[in-house]
Amino acid sequence: MAAPKVPALVARALQAYGIAYTYIHEPQKGYRNQSFAVERSGGDMLNLILYKSEPGMLERIKAANAVSDYLASQGFAVRRTVSSRIMCLQSSLRIKYGALYTYLPGHTIPWEAYSQDHIKLLGKTMSDMHASLAVFRHDALPEVADEYLDILERMRHYFANAPVQRALADKLMLRVRPEVFDQFEQLLVAAKLLPGKQPLHMDFVRSNIL
């Protein structure tokens, strides 16, 4: 079987990192990235991630890397950065960022294979992780309330659209009251004043666990 063709951006990134490779696996696609398993001549593997082009993506990458590197230093089975460099790769259409990480073998568990033991283990891991993160500080971590306020503003704009309102009324017999968004906003703004805040994963779902 022929090896998959290596995308130009992947080849450029690995060359810039000085990584000699023997095989690049087909990309695994996530919400914000493409992940490439990289086999090296010595038999070890690395994980090259090319991130989507989004506003603020570089800051998100730096914050996520700081958290995962800290957790790795505390003994958690999480990815670590192989290099502190974050590649800025410019194609004809957009700028993409790339970063190189250790490779974590494994696979996600299908929903139908989930058991009570899996759920207990995930709960314990999340508890241990958040206990460790309680002392972690990083200025670039976004506030959850700010993330939700951005989403809320998009929701407010979307549901103010007349065709959307008509579709909700005709198909679902629903009407969205504009004042509900004001109530959500007040709740989120008040949450920003709560004491004792610490980093949380916020997306600890099956697809993010190996």
Side-chain angles (χ1 to χ4, degrees):
M1 183 176 65
K5 184 178 179 181
V6 179
L9 282 179
V10 173
R12 283 173 53 194
L14 292 173
Q15 182 180 26
Y17 278 117
I19 300 297
Y21 58 89
T22 58
Y23 191 82
I24 306 293
H25 290 256
E26 292 284 357
Q28 301 295 312
K29 296 182 180 181
Y31 174 60
R32 281 198 172 93
N33 58 56
Q34 283 187 308
S35 179
F36 296 85
V38 179
E39 293 188 27
R40 297 206 288 183
S41 56
D44 61 325
M45 297 184 68
L46 299 175
N47 184 20
L48 175 70
I49 295 182
L50 296 183
Y51 291 90
K52 282 185 178 180
S53 299
E54 288 184 357
M57 180 54 74
L58 180 59
E59 289 72 24
R60 287 183 182 275
I61 297 170
K62 289 179 178 178
N65 288 354
V67 171
S68 61
D69 282 348
Y70 170 78
L71 288 173
S73 74
Q74 301 301 303
F76 287 84
V78 298
R79 73 182 190 192
R80 289 182 293 103
T81 53
V82 173
S83 170
S84 60
R85 295 171 60 198
I86 297 173
M87 306 301 300
C88 180
L89 304 162
Q90 186 163 3
S91 67
S92 57
L93 299 176
R94 63 178 66 89
I95 292 176
K96 291 181 75 72
Y97 293 103
L100 194 61
Y101 303 95
T102 53
Y103 180 81
L104 295 176
H107 60 275
T108 57
I109 302 171
W111 280 119
E112 61 273 14
Y114 250 57
S115 70
Q116 187 174 7
D117 288 340
H118 289 131
I119 296 172
K120 287 180 178 179
L121 186 56
L122 288 178
K124 181 182 185 305
T125 301
M126 184 163 60
S127 173
D128 292 344
M129 178 178 63
H130 287 152
S132 182
L133 286 172
V135 297
F136 176 77
R137 295 291 179 269
H138 192 276
D139 293 338
L141 289 183
E143 280 220 26
V144 172
D146 289 334
E147 298 283 302
Y148 286 153
L149 283 168
D150 287 342
I151 294 172
L152 181 64
E153 195 56 38
R154 296 201 299 271
M155 291 172 62
R156 196 196 306 264
H157 178 76
Y158 176 78
F159 286 110
N161 183 275
V164 171
Q165 292 176 354
R166 285 196 299 270
L168 284 172
D170 296 343
K171 297 180 180 180
L172 301 175
M173 292 176 287
L174 291 177
R175 177 180 173 271
V176 177
R177 295 181 293 109
E179 59 270 21
V180 75
F181 298 112
D182 297 332
Q183 295 167 5
F184 288 154
E185 182 176 358
Q186 292 171 12
L187 180 64
L188 289 168
V189 170
K192 289 170 61 68
L193 303 177
L194 291 173
K197 289 180 284 188
Q198 72 159 78
L200 298 175
H201 191 289
M202 297 304 296
D203 199 17
F204 205 73
V205 296
R206 178 192 64 88
S207 57
N208 283 337
I209 309 299
L210 294 179

